[in-house]
């Protein structure tokens, strides 16, 4: 799908051009509705379920150590999946002079959020870590392998990287490094990754 990319095991380092912030256009008087085909499918799906993608995560999502978790077909899942595509949607709205909710302003100040999935291309059971900190291990409570991941809130900065780790079920699931997503990253990507049991974001020293 259009907001997806494949991550090779060599681990990609994306160009910094994606970081250029678009100038903020004024809201136009003659703004027209966004054509339906430009609304990311995940946003359309969430909206159809009555989910406000800029609002808080729906209450049906369960909570764990630093995360929310949701299963496909639920409002919580639709919200998490939509977060991955939210920046692209906002860009489309802004390009047409359509207003975006106040929540967007607030979101700029938030920490980076990590969304990961048991299936390929951001499908399957979903976890949302709303406030990913440096050096913190992001691990689901269940013994599962994660196969795709997307950021929301903001992207990885040039001096940040996310390590992909793997370890035995019921053991140290962060034991071995097996890959890295290096910043800066582009928004709205669903990264395909090899089986991963643990994530950890760090900041480069220089
Ligand atoms: C949106 O919903 C349809 C129908 O349930 C589903 O096939 C599709 O995969 C969903 N899209 C996303 C991005 O989750
Ligand atoms: C990442 O952060 C953790 C926790 O602060 C630290 O123990 C580890 O050495 C860091 N890893 C690298 C590669 O810098």
């Amino acid at each position: 799908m259009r907001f997806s990319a494949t991550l090779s095991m060599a681990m990609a380092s994306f160009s910094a051009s994606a970081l250029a912030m678009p100038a903020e256009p004024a809201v136009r008087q003659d703004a027209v509705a966004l054509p339906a085909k430009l609304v990311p499918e995940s946003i359309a799906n969430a909206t159809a379920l009555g989910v406000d993608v800029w609002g808080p995560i729906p209450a049906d999502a369960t909570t764990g150590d630093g995360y929310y978790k949701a299963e496909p077909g639920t409002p919580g899942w639709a919200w998490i999946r939509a977060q991955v595509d939210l920046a692209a949607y906002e860009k489309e709205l802004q390009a047409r002079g359509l207003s975006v909710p106040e929540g967007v302003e607030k979101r700029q100040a938030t920490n980076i959020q990590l969304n990961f999935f048991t299936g390929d291309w951001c499908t399957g059971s979903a976890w949302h870590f709303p406030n990913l900190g440096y050096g913190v291990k992001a691990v689901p409570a269940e013994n599962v392998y994660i196969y795709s991941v997307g950021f929301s809130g903001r992207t990885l900065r040039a001096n940040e990287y996310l390590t992909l780790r793997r370890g035995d079920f019921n053991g140290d699931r962060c034991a071995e490094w097996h890959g890295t997503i290096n910043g800066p990253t582009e928004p709205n990507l669903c990264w395909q990754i090899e089986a991963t049991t643990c994530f950890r974001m760090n900041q480069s020293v220089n």
Side-chain angles (χ1 to χ4, degrees):
M1 49 176 287
R2 56 192 279 260
F3 302 117
S4 300
T6 300
L7 176 65
S8 76
M9 279 315 292
M11 293 306 141
S13 173
F14 276 79
S15 87
S17 63
L19 284 190
M21 292 297 288
E24 205 169 313
V27 174
R28 286 204 309 253
Q29 294 298 322
D30 61 344
V32 290
L34 190 66
K37 65 178 176 7
L38 293 179
V39 178
E41 191 179 66
S42 63
I43 309 271
N45 284 2
T47 306
L49 284 176
V51 172
D52 172 7
V53 294
W54 285 287
I57 187 167
D60 65 281
T62 56
T63 54
D65 188 11
Y67 63 75
Y68 294 92
K69 190 206 165 190
E71 294 299 332
T74 64
W77 191 93
W79 184 94
I80 295 175
R81 180 64 190 81
Q83 300 310 301
V84 178
D85 296 333
L86 208 46
Y89 183 45
E90 289 161 5
K91 208 173 148 197
E92 293 284 2
L93 291 174
Q94 281 170 339
R96 283 164 178 74
L98 296 166
S99 66
V100 290
E102 275 171 39
V104 177
E105 288 276 307
K106 280 186 225 146
R107 208 162 50 66
Q108 306 299 335
T110 67
N111 219 331
I112 193 165
Q113 300 157 5
L114 184 65
N115 308 287
F116 55 65
F117 300 80
T118 53
D120 289 336
W121 306 115
C122 294
T123 62
S125 300
W127 283 259
H128 172 76
F129 283 73
N131 196 12
L132 191 64
Y134 294 133
V136 178
K137 293 168 181 172
V139 189
E142 299 85 345
N143 285 320
V144 289
Y145 286 120
I146 302 300
Y147 287 99
S148 55
V149 54
F151 299 102
S152 55
R154 63 172 179 81
T155 50
L156 276 181
R157 296 180 180 132
N159 65 343
E160 294 173 334
Y161 58 95
L162 185 75
T163 58
L164 312 179
R165 301 179 159 268
R166 190 150 55 207
D168 292 341
F169 283 174
N170 299 316
D172 178 2
R173 286 154 68 196
C174 302
E176 278 175 46
W177 169 90
H178 73 90
T180 304
I181 296 177
N182 287 306
T185 55
E186 294 183 49
N188 311 112
L189 296 179
C190 178
W191 303 79
Q192 292 293 102
I193 58 174
E194 290 210 345
T196 295
T197 48
C198 167
F199 298 84
R200 190 170 69 187
M201 181 174 69
N202 277 49
Q203 194 175 27
S204 310
V205 180
N206 43 27

